PDB file of all heavy atoms in Angstrom:
ATOM      1  N   SER A  87      12.553   4.795  46.130  1.00 91.00           N
ATOM      2  CA  SER A  87      11.902   5.240  47.431  1.00 91.00           C
ATOM      3  C   SER A  87      10.454   5.858  47.184  1.00 91.00           C
ATOM      4  O   SER A  87       9.771   6.131  48.176  1.00 91.00           O
ATOM      5  CB  SER A  87      12.821   6.299  48.141  1.00 91.00           C
ATOM      6  OG  SER A  87      12.907   7.497  47.271  1.00 91.00           O
ATOM      7  N   GLY A  88      10.228   6.228  45.854  1.00 89.00           N
ATOM      8  CA  GLY A  88       8.836   6.787  45.640  1.00 89.00           C
ATOM      9  C   GLY A  88       8.870   8.276  45.879  1.00 89.00           C
ATOM     10  O   GLY A  88       7.848   8.947  45.952  1.00 89.00           O
ATOM     11  N   VAL A  89      10.080   8.846  46.011  1.00 88.00           N
ATOM     12  CA  VAL A  89      10.216  10.421  46.208  1.00 88.00           C
ATOM     13  C   VAL A  89      10.073  11.031  44.861  1.00 88.00           C
ATOM     14  O   VAL A  89      10.642  10.683  43.835  1.00 88.00           O
ATOM     15  CB  VAL A  89      11.552  10.676  46.768  1.00 88.00           C
ATOM     16  CG1 VAL A  89      11.841  12.230  46.582  1.00 88.00           C
ATOM     17  CG2 VAL A  89      11.667  10.346  48.156  1.00 88.00           C
ATOM     18  N   VAL A  90       9.070  11.871  44.786  1.00 85.00           N
ATOM     19  CA  VAL A  90       8.715  12.652  43.510  1.00 85.00           C
ATOM     20  C   VAL A  90       9.121  14.161  43.763  1.00 85.00           C
ATOM     21  O   VAL A  90       8.569  14.751  44.677  1.00 85.00           O
ATOM     22  CB  VAL A  90       7.215  12.541  43.129  1.00 85.00           C
ATOM     23  CG1 VAL A  90       6.937  13.275  41.995  1.00 85.00           C
ATOM     24  CG2 VAL A  90       6.838  11.126  43.069  1.00 85.00           C
ATOM     25  N   LEU A  91      10.186  14.565  43.117  1.00 85.00           N
ATOM     26  CA  LEU A  91      10.542  15.987  43.169  1.00 85.00           C
ATOM     27  C   LEU A  91      10.308  16.759  41.907  1.00 85.00           C
ATOM     28  O   LEU A  91      10.391  16.163  40.844  1.00 85.00           O
ATOM     29  CB  LEU A  91      12.026  15.893  43.505  1.00 85.00           C
ATOM     30  CG  LEU A  91      12.573  15.195  44.736  1.00 85.00           C
ATOM     31  CD1 LEU A  91      14.096  15.193  44.733  1.00 85.00           C
ATOM     32  CD2 LEU A  91      12.014  16.143  45.906  1.00 85.00           C
ATOM     33  N   PRO A  92       9.965  17.983  42.142  1.00 83.00           N
ATOM     34  CA  PRO A  92       9.949  18.894  40.820  1.00 83.00           C
ATOM     35  C   PRO A  92      11.390  18.927  40.136  1.00 83.00           C
ATOM     36  O   PRO A  92      12.286  18.663  40.869  1.00 83.00           O
ATOM     37  CB  PRO A  92       9.665  20.173  41.462  1.00 83.00           C
ATOM     38  CG  PRO A  92       9.106  19.909  42.934  1.00 83.00           C
ATOM     39  CD  PRO A  92       9.663  18.708  43.282  1.00 83.00           C
ATOM     40  N   GLU A  93      11.392  19.143  38.900  1.00 86.00           N
ATOM     41  CA  GLU A  93      12.554  19.113  38.137  1.00 86.00           C
ATOM     42  C   GLU A  93      13.752  19.876  38.731  1.00 86.00           C
ATOM     43  O   GLU A  93      14.830  19.480  38.751  1.00 86.00           O
ATOM     44  CB  GLU A  93      12.430  19.385  36.638  1.00 86.00           C
ATOM     45  CG  GLU A  93      13.512  19.076  35.777  1.00 86.00           C
ATOM     46  CD  GLU A  93      14.109  17.599  35.751  1.00 86.00           C
ATOM     47  OE1 GLU A  93      13.312  16.690  35.894  1.00 86.00           O
ATOM     48  OE2 GLU A  93      15.197  17.481  35.760  1.00 86.00           O
ATOM     49  N   PRO A  94      13.408  21.112  39.018  1.00 84.00           N
ATOM     50  CA  PRO A  94      14.576  21.980  39.578  1.00 84.00           C
ATOM     51  C   PRO A  94      15.139  21.311  40.882  1.00 84.00           C
ATOM     52  O   PRO A  94      16.390  21.312  41.032  1.00 84.00           O
ATOM     53  CB  PRO A  94      13.924  23.321  39.831  1.00 84.00           C
ATOM     54  CG  PRO A  94      12.697  23.384  39.170  1.00 84.00           C
ATOM     55  CD  PRO A  94      12.271  22.033  38.926  1.00 84.00           C
ATOM     56  N   ALA A  95      14.328  20.818  41.726  1.00 85.00           N
ATOM     57  CA  ALA A  95      14.950  20.110  42.994  1.00 85.00           C
ATOM     58  C   ALA A  95      15.700  18.809  42.534  1.00 85.00           C
ATOM     59  O   ALA A  95      16.715  18.642  43.203  1.00 85.00           O
ATOM     60  CB  ALA A  95      13.784  19.840  43.936  1.00 85.00           C
ATOM     61  N   LEU A  96      15.033  18.189  41.638  1.00 87.00           N
ATOM     62  CA  LEU A  96      15.834  16.857  41.178  1.00 87.00           C
ATOM     63  C   LEU A  96      17.146  17.179  40.612  1.00 87.00           C
ATOM     64  O   LEU A  96      18.062  16.469  40.968  1.00 87.00           O
ATOM     65  CB  LEU A  96      14.934  16.072  40.314  1.00 87.00           C
ATOM     66  CG  LEU A  96      15.529  14.717  39.827  1.00 87.00           C
ATOM     67  CD1 LEU A  96      15.759  13.781  40.986  1.00 87.00           C
ATOM     68  CD2 LEU A  96      14.540  14.056  38.799  1.00 87.00           C
ATOM     69  N   SER A  97      17.233  18.186  39.722  1.00 88.00           N
ATOM     70  CA  SER A  97      18.509  18.540  39.064  1.00 88.00           C
ATOM     71  C   SER A  97      19.544  19.004  40.151  1.00 88.00           C
ATOM     72  O   SER A  97      20.759  18.642  40.080  1.00 88.00           O
ATOM     73  CB  SER A  97      18.349  19.571  38.056  1.00 88.00           C
ATOM     74  OG  SER A  97      17.927  20.697  38.524  1.00 88.00           O
ATOM     75  N   GLY A  98      19.226  19.760  41.142  1.00 86.00           N
ATOM     76  CA  GLY A  98      19.987  20.188  42.288  1.00 86.00           C
ATOM     77  C   GLY A  98      20.567  18.989  43.116  1.00 86.00           C
ATOM     78  O   GLY A  98      21.692  18.925  43.493  1.00 86.00           O
ATOM     79  N   MET A  99      19.626  18.021  43.384  1.00 88.00           N
ATOM     80  CA  MET A  99      19.922  16.835  44.106  1.00 88.00           C
ATOM     81  C   MET A  99      20.923  15.932  43.374  1.00 88.00           C
ATOM     82  O   MET A  99      21.862  15.412  43.815  1.00 88.00           O
ATOM     83  CB  MET A  99      18.808  16.001  44.531  1.00 88.00           C
ATOM     84  CG  MET A  99      17.874  16.689  45.490  1.00 88.00           C
ATOM     85  SD  MET A  99      18.507  17.177  47.050  1.00 88.00           S
ATOM     86  CE  MET A  99      18.283  15.661  47.893  1.00 88.00           C
TER      87      MET A  99
END
Side-chain angles (χ1 to χ4, degrees):
S87 66
V89 169
V90 178
L91 295 173
E93 189 55 39
L96 182 59
S97 65
M99 297 296 280

